[in-house]
């Protein structure tokens, strides 16, 4: 998604002024912030992130699973001041988000809220990191460090894809070296190449950028953020610098083409984000003509699905807007199809909309009000569910669904571990589930409401196919998750009525 450049007031402050300000803030609230930071879970205490042995998930060096719950906070470096950064990232931690996808450079030149410049067409960013002013890169450092205090990773999209035509491979290498050397010692960095662009556009520069970063920083994972309705696997799956794939399922509704010529997916599958997992792994059932995936399987994630409160298709502001039940559907469809996590997005949050700013894509709501929208607050329940189970052993298994599966909104998605299975039912239609696909002579079964994380124990079932009709009206935002567990396991208690908070 292209985001308009932010025009900000030129308000430079010297480093001495900032030191005084920070000192006064520390005197008044430092003890509270310090106590909160000290008690906050730091995932990298388990070691750096790496790809799991089965090439489907991310784990830490000590084997601890990592479930990515991201947010598209694209314009945070450009539009938020320090106080707002603290407010936003603190709220993100409270709502369970642990990855922020940001644009480091959204234009040439890029400026932040203080009027500080990050770059020019030379991409010699060192010259904008000198002097006494609180510069662009100082502010980005502050964002990275405060995010670390909250246990949050920063997924740095180095430069938005639309700007790549202004970057030669030589300039890309220079910029990559600057970034890699500056942030290699930070524990909470994930590198993101690309930015809403077809992977064959500027490929030499993307490769040069990625390899320069990797040469300076071999510690942090790296991916590529592609254009809507595409996956990075089509272009970069065989690259030595790519650790995991990312797709952008995008913002179109079924049948919405918007004048696209060479369409990258099958007709009338625009909302089927679960298909991109198979595409990214080269599965024959989802393979698109001319889109061969070379190289071995890598973990995959939907890095940009439909945003809450954005018009369907983006460009017609009178079109219906995606709602909380839509963003839930994208999240559960993706994860139960095999993604190692999920990234949420909100129209107002991604561009940090506020009064006085001309919003893109019909955004009108202030970003701080958007933090109360239902979809934003519901994503954490997916994370809590997955972290309650040994999910890195799991894989998608549509054989769990007995009989013929549905299409579009009736599509049921199943994820199965050795001793548990999860089924997401968006429409609420009755379904038959083969409980013999997991271990155990008896199965304990719950129904989960993904809108509030509540659990309802449905009973103990025999080791056979059973029919389930979950509560809620058909296609009325009453989507549900069926949870079945080997009765000898204790992942949940029979009397448990809510998901427990998991870091």
């Amino acid at each position: 998604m292209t985001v308009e450049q932010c025009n900000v007031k030129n308000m430079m402050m010297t480093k001495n002024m900032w030191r005084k300000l920070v000192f006064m803030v520390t005197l008044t609230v430092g003890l509270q912030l310090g106590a909160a930071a000290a008690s906050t879970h730091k995932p990298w205490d388990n070691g750096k992130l790496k790809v799991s042995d089965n090439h489907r998930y991310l784990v830490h060096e000590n084997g601890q699973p990592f479930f990515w719950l991201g947010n598209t906070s694209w314009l945070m470096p450009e539009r938020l001041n320090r106080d707002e950064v603290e407010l936003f990232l603190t709220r993100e931690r409270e709502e369970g988000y642990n990855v922020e996808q940001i644009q480091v450079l959204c234009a040439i030149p890029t400026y932040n809220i203080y009027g500080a410049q990050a770059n020019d067409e030379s991409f010699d960013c060192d010259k904008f990191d000198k002097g006494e002013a609180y510069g662009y890169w100082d502010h980005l450092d502050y964002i990275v460090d405060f995010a670390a205090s909250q246990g949050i990773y920063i997924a740095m999209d180095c430069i938005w894809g639309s700007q790549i035509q202004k970057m030669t491979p030589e300039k890309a290498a220079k910029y990559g070296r600057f970034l890699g050397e500056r942030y290699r010692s930070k524990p909470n960095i994930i590198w993101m190449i690309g930015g809403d662009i077809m992977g064959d556009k500027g490929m030499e520069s993307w490769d040069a950028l990625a390899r320069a970063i990797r040469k300076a920083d071999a510690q942090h994972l790296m991916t590529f953020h592609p254009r809507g309705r595409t996956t990075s696997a089509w272009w970069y799956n065989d690259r030595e610098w790519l650790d995991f794939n990312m797709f952008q399922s995008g913002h179109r509704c079924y049948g919405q083409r918007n004048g696209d010529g060479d369409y990258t997916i099958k007709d009338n599958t625009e909302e089927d984000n679960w298909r991109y997992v198979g595409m990214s792994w080269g599965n024959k059932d989802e393979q698109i003509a001319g889109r061969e995936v070379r190289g071995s399987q890598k973990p995959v994630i939907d890095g940009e699905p439909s945003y809450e409160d954005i018009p369907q298709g983006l460009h017609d502001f009178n079109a219906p807007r995606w709602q909380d039940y839509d963003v839930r559907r994208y999240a559960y469809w993706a994860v139960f199809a095999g993604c190692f996590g999920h990234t949420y997005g909100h129209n107002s949050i991604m561009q940090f909309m506020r009064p006085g700013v001309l919003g893109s894509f019909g955004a009108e709501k202030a970003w701080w009000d958007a933090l109360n929208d239902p979809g934003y607050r519901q994503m954490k329940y997916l994370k809590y569910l997955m972290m309650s189970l040994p999910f890195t052993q799991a894989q998608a298994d549509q054989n769990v669904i007995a009989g013929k599966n549905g299409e579009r909104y009736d599509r049921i998605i199943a994820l199965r571990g050795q001793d548990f299975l999860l089924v997401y039912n968006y429409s609420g239609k009755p379904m038959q589930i083969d409980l013999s696909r997991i271990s155990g002579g008896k199965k304990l079964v719950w129904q989960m409401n993904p809108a509030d994380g509540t659990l309802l124990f449905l009973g103990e079932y025999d080791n056979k196919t059973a029919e389930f009709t979950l509560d809620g009206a058909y296609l009325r935002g009453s989507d549900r998750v069926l949870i079945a567990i080997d009765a000898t396991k204790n992942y949940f208690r029979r009397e448990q009525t809510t998901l427990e908070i998991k870091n």
Side-chain angles (χ1 to χ4, degrees):
M1 173 186 305
T2 302
V3 181
E4 297 172 2
Q5 181 182 359
C6 177
N7 294 319
V8 296
K9 182 180 179 181
N10 189 354
M11 186 177 65
M12 302 295 286
M13 301 185 77
T14 67
K15 288 185 178 179
N16 287 335
M17 291 172 66
W18 272 110
R19 290 191 188 102
K20 292 178 181 178
L21 176 60
V22 172
F23 178 70
M24 294 183 68
V25 171
T26 302
L27 286 177
T28 54
V29 299
L31 291 177
Q32 293 176 330
L33 290 176
S39 61
T40 299
H41 169 73
K42 307 296 193 304
W44 43 86
D45 288 345
N46 294 301
K48 67 180 183 180
L49 288 175
K50 67 174 189 175
V51 173
S52 64
D53 291 341
N54 61 18
H55 302 285
R56 293 196 296 267
Y57 295 96
L58 300 186
V59 298
H60 293 278
E61 286 180 301
N62 67 357
Q64 179 71 20
F66 177 73
F67 185 83
W68 172 308
L69 184 59
N71 197 352
T72 49
S73 310
W74 295 125
L75 287 179
M76 178 162 42
E78 292 85 358
R79 285 189 169 169
L80 294 195
N81 64 35
R82 287 167 67 115
D83 290 341
E84 291 169 330
V85 166
E86 293 185 8
L87 184 155
F88 175 67
L89 290 177
T90 300
R91 182 63 180 274
E92 289 284 276
R93 173 182 56 80
E94 293 169 350
E95 294 296 337
Y97 295 95
N98 54 17
V99 180
E100 304 295 329
Q101 295 177 196
I102 68 169
Q103 291 178 4
V104 177
L105 302 178
C106 65
I108 301 174
T110 296
Y111 295 89
N112 67 16
I113 191 73
Y114 301 112
Q117 184 174 345
N119 62 310
D120 60 16
E121 291 193 5
S122 73
F123 290 96
D124 183 7
C125 295
D126 283 310
K127 68 183 181 183
F128 297 100
D129 188 40
K130 307 297 182 185
E132 291 299 311
Y134 178 75
Y136 187 95
W137 298 102
D138 296 311
H139 190 53
L140 186 58
D141 293 346
Y142 185 80
I143 290 171
V144 171
D145 290 340
F146 191 82
S149 77
Q150 302 301 300
I152 295 173
Y153 286 90
I154 295 294
M156 285 192 174
D157 188 281
C158 306
I159 180 170
W160 203 237
S162 59
Q163 305 300 309
I164 195 62
Q165 72 273 12
K166 303 173 185 177
M167 180 182 277
T168 64
E170 293 73 24
K171 291 178 180 178
K174 180 191 299 184
Y175 177 49
R177 183 168 56 252
F178 170 82
L179 288 175
E181 291 175 352
R182 189 178 191 95
Y183 294 107
R184 61 189 172 194
S185 64
K186 303 295 184 182
N188 60 325
I189 297 297
I190 298 168
W191 296 110
M192 190 180 294
I193 310 302
D196 194 36
I197 191 169
M198 298 289 280
D200 55 356
K201 306 297 184 184
M203 186 175 284
E204 291 185 4
S205 293
W206 293 129
D207 275 329
L209 175 62
R211 286 169 177 151
I213 293 173
R214 180 52 55 88
K215 184 176 181 179
D217 174 18
Q219 300 301 308
H220 298 117
L221 296 181
M222 186 177 291
T223 190
F224 183 96
H225 178 277
R227 185 192 139 188
R229 298 165 302 286
T230 71
T231 170
S232 61
W234 291 343
W235 303 285
Y236 295 108
N237 191 67
D238 61 349
R239 294 301 200 273
E240 80 286 353
W241 51 261
L242 190 85
D243 296 298
F244 62 91
N245 279 302
M246 179 173 282
F247 60 86
Q248 180 190 163
S249 56
H251 310 274
R252 302 280 173 83
C253 64
Y254 287 122
Q256 198 172 38
R257 295 287 291 263
N258 196 42
D260 285 346
D262 182 17
Y263 215 48
T264 55
I265 58 174
K266 299 175 182 177
D267 286 338
N268 298 307
T269 64
E270 287 80 0
E271 297 182 47
D272 293 346
N273 72 331
W274 52 269
R275 295 180 184 272
Y276 292 89
V277 180
M279 291 181 199
S280 301
W281 288 344
N283 292 358
K284 292 182 179 179
D285 291 343
E286 299 302 336
Q287 190 168 343
I288 305 298
R291 302 289 181 182
E292 181 184 357
V293 174
R294 297 186 296 271
S296 58
Q297 178 178 302
K298 290 180 169 65
V300 65
I301 191 169
D302 190 349
E304 189 174 331
S306 292
Y307 290 169
E308 189 169 15
D309 195 38
I310 206 166
Q312 295 179 5
L314 300 180
H315 305 293
D316 180 2
F317 300 165
N318 295 317
R321 300 205 173 203
W322 297 110
Q323 302 298 317
D324 59 319
Y325 43 84
D326 296 305
V327 298
R328 292 199 304 268
R329 171 167 51 88
Y330 275 84
Y332 286 83
W333 268 1
V335 171
F336 288 11
C339 287
F340 64 83
H342 188 69
T343 296
Y344 162 88
H346 191 290
N347 192 14
S348 291
I349 295 173
M350 67 93 177
Q351 57 187 300
F352 292 97
M353 181 65 188
R354 68 180 73 222
V357 171
L358 179 62
S360 301
F361 312 110
E364 298 174 347
K365 183 179 298 184
W367 67 265
W368 49 84
D369 290 330
L371 300 180
N372 295 315
D373 277 7
Y376 171 80
R377 304 184 70 179
Q378 293 163 357
M379 292 296 103
K380 58 180 175 285
Y381 302 122
L382 173 58
K383 177 185 171 185
Y384 297 164
L385 171 64
M386 300 305 291
M387 294 298 291
S388 298
L389 300 163
F391 71 91
T392 57
Q393 304 170 9
Q395 58 185 317
D397 183 4
Q398 290 307 102
N399 291 321
V400 165
I401 314 300
K404 185 178 180 180
N405 205 334
E407 297 180 354
R408 295 196 179 189
Y409 300 132
D410 282 336
R411 179 75 177 183
I412 299 169
I413 304 289
L415 184 74
R416 177 184 59 82
Q418 180 179 348
D419 50 25
F420 70 91
L421 64 83
L422 304 171
V423 180
Y424 179 70
N425 187 325
Y426 174 73
S427 70
K429 73 167 191 174
M431 57 185 179
Q432 291 185 320
I433 304 301
D434 184 358
L435 298 176
S436 70
R437 299 291 295 177
I438 61 174
S439 65
K442 296 287 185 179
K443 313 297 163 65
L444 303 182
V445 180
W446 290 260
Q447 171 188 286
M448 172 192 154
N449 184 344
D452 58 15
T454 56
L455 296 172
L456 175 65
F457 183 61
L458 300 182
E460 184 176 291
Y461 287 74
D462 293 329
N463 189 35
K464 60 182 182 179
T465 297
E467 182 167 323
F468 296 91
T469 301
L470 306 180
D471 65 346
Y474 180 74
L475 281 178
R476 292 294 185 273
S478 52
D479 49 325
R480 297 290 185 266
V481 176
L482 186 80
I483 305 167
I485 296 175
D486 182 333
T488 65
K489 305 300 178 180
N490 59 356
Y491 301 132
F492 295 97
R493 304 180 305 278
R494 296 185 187 217
E495 67 277 10
Q496 189 172 335
T497 58
T498 58
L499 290 172
E500 297 177 350
I501 296 175
K502 302 289 183 178
N503 287 319

